[in-house]
Amino acid sequence: MFPTKTDKARDELQAGQRTLSQRERALLLMADGRRSLTDFSPLFPNRLEAEQAIQALVMKGYLQDAQAVAAAAAQAAAHAAALAPPAPLPAADPIRIATSTDNFDGKRSLATTRMFLFDICERMFVRRDPKFALQMRDALREARDRQAMLTIAALMLSEVEKTAGAERAESLRERIERLLPPAEVVH
């Protein structure tokens, strides 16, 4: 069995909700549909207790078997496809529109860059590392020039690279370069 969380479990894990024990909450946190009973066993004195705890959470509606859910979804999709009218034939030549997924044409500014960095901070660090997020938000509020903004961005991007990979960090780095005003050339 590869248990996964239900909506009831997600509600339980929200701040302020505490109806389950710490061990049961840990099980809910780990239940992602990819971990099996073997992965949960270290939380308990023995494998039997882990299995009983998982079954109890399934019975209470906090967990469900990911494989059973996937099979039910596939069966429902097959049933819906059987009942659906046939799909219309596609046009001979679909119309191609040249677009970019990131076509920012706005004005380059420190304010725009700051807001983008605040957004990265909120999306990537608030849940994972609240202290780091707080430090970055405070630093962004104090940043007044291009160099300060680049320093903060470099710190954030090094963390992004650790957690989301070099490719993600590089794409964010490119976006930041497009948002920052050009460096002033001193002769």
Side-chain angles (χ1 to χ4, degrees):
M1 175 182 206
F2 293 87
T4 186
K5 294 180 228 14
T6 63
D7 289 336
K8 186 176 180 180
R10 287 184 210 36
D11 291 342
E12 170 67 25
L13 294 172
Q14 293 298 317
Q17 298 284 333
R18 295 278 192 251
T19 59
L20 297 175
S21 71
Q22 192 68 21
R23 193 174 286 168
E24 289 171 320
R25 290 173 60 82
L27 269 175
L28 294 183
L29 286 169
M30 291 176 63
D32 59 3
R34 292 178 284 173
R35 293 189 173 114
S36 69
L37 176 61
T38 304
D39 299 307
F40 299 113
S41 295
L43 296 174
F44 296 88
N46 59 54
R47 186 178 171 93
L48 179 63
E49 284 187 39
E51 187 174 4
Q52 290 171 341
I54 290 170
Q55 289 304 323
L57 290 171
V58 168
M59 297 300 288
K60 292 178 185 176
Y62 289 103
L63 293 176
Q64 57 192 357
D65 184 4
Q67 293 169 334
V69 171
Q75 185 178 16
H79 181 67
L83 296 177
L89 295 174
D93 291 322
I95 300 170
R96 304 266 183 226
I97 300 173
T99 61
S100 169
T101 57
D102 189 14
N103 55 354
F104 177 74
D105 291 328
K107 182 180 175 191
R108 292 171 166 249
S109 71
L110 288 177
T112 304
T113 307
R114 178 180 287 121
M115 293 310 296
F116 182 68
L117 291 172
F118 268 120
D119 186 54
I120 292 172
C121 186
E122 292 301 310
R123 291 174 188 244
M124 301 198 80
F125 303 121
V126 166
R127 289 189 185 139
R128 186 176 297 126
D129 191 350
K131 287 181 182 179
F132 181 76
L134 181 61
Q135 291 171 339
M136 292 299 101
R137 285 191 302 245
D138 290 343
L140 284 168
R141 287 186 194 104
E142 298 299 320
R144 299 286 180 246
D145 60 15
R146 186 176 203 281
Q147 190 56 46
M149 208 65 76
L150 283 171
T151 302
I152 296 165
L155 284 169
M156 290 174 70
L157 291 173
S158 69
E159 288 299 312
V160 168
E161 189 168 347
K162 290 177 193 172
T163 57
E167 187 175 319
R168 178 71 173 142
E170 185 57 33
S171 72
L172 293 173
R173 185 175 289 110
E174 290 171 4
R175 177 69 184 258
I176 291 166
E177 288 172 5
R178 288 195 307 268
L179 295 173
L180 270 173
E184 294 180 18
V185 178
V186 178
H187 295 285

